[in-house]
Amino acid sequence: VELIELLGDILVQTDRKEMAFKHYLLVKTIREAEKWKVDNRLLEKIKTTSNNQSITTASKEKLKNELTQFWNEKNAKKAEQQPNKIENGIIKKLLQPKQQGIDGFIETSTGKTLYFFAAKSEPIYTKLTVGKKIQFNTTTAAKGDKAIRLKIID
């Protein structure tokens, strides 16, 4: 139950009060079902996230199902951001290096242009030059696909 409450705290910090409320309510429901103490701190968290919703004890199973669905959707979105297939391409452009690393663009074998970033700490950083053949994975980012896990093709 402490972990569920902590998730509620994190959701409050990310301005997801409705979901935080449901987490806190589940904690309260579990504590009551197990005849554990429900402290005032938890009741205050419920009150501040309730948006005038009913604070009566909800069905534990209903709350668990709602929260399971919420977290499964989060996992599905995360899975969408996982690396896709391995592709090949050529470095077409390197931007001005920054303190953290360098940004650049790769033209894929299908003619698509993808953004990439290589940190200075990555071994490939010193080997990046325009025209180098490269192997990489793609992942979905906020502004479209981008190349990750770069490897030089000899």
Side-chain angles (χ1 to χ4, degrees):
V1 292
E2 291 159 350
L3 179 58
I4 297 168
E5 185 175 348
L6 178 60
L7 289 170
D9 295 345
I10 293 167
L11 288 164
V12 166
Q13 291 175 358
T14 58
D15 208 28
R16 303 285 310 262
K17 287 185 177 182
E18 181 180 338
M19 290 311 300
F21 170 72
K22 290 179 180 181
H23 281 74
Y24 296 147
L25 201 54
L26 179 59
V27 170
K28 178 180 179 276
T29 304
I30 292 170
R31 287 189 168 282
E32 289 173 343
E34 296 296 325
K35 297 188 183 354
W36 297 339
K37 179 182 176 189
V38 178
D39 63 7
N40 289 333
R41 181 182 44 81
L42 176 61
L43 295 174
E44 187 59 34
K45 289 178 183 182
I46 291 170
K47 184 177 175 185
T48 59
T49 58
S50 71
N51 288 340
N52 298 322
Q53 296 179 54
S54 172
I55 303 177
T56 59
T57 302
S59 159
K60 184 168 69 170
E61 288 307 311
K62 182 180 176 197
L63 283 169
K64 279 174 45 178
N65 289 338
E66 283 182 45
L67 295 179
T68 299
Q69 183 179 352
F70 170 76
W71 287 110
N72 284 342
E73 287 171 6
K74 288 280 187 198
N75 285 337
K77 286 179 184 175
K78 190 175 182 181
E80 289 172 9
Q81 296 172 349
Q82 294 300 313
N84 297 325
K85 65 182 178 174
I86 296 174
E87 294 189 51
N88 294 325
I90 297 174
I91 297 176
K92 281 298 184 186
K93 184 175 185 177
L94 292 170
L95 302 179
Q96 195 66 23
K98 298 183 252 180
Q99 186 175 357
Q100 302 88 355
I102 191 163
D103 299 282
F105 294 92
I106 297 171
E107 185 176 308
T108 69
S109 55
T110 60
K112 188 175 178 181
T113 301
L114 296 176
Y115 164 83
F116 73 88
F117 174 79
K120 277 189 176 178
S121 60
E122 294 179 42
I124 195 170
Y125 176 80
T126 58
K127 300 173 187 170
L128 295 173
T129 57
V130 172
K132 277 274 189 187
K133 291 182 181 177
I134 200 126
Q135 188 176 65
F136 56 92
N137 291 89
T138 58
T139 189
T140 304
K143 295 182 181 180
D145 290 345
K146 74 175 191 175
I148 59 170
R149 298 184 186 148
L150 308 174
K151 278 198 242 178
I152 301 287
I153 301 173
D154 293 323

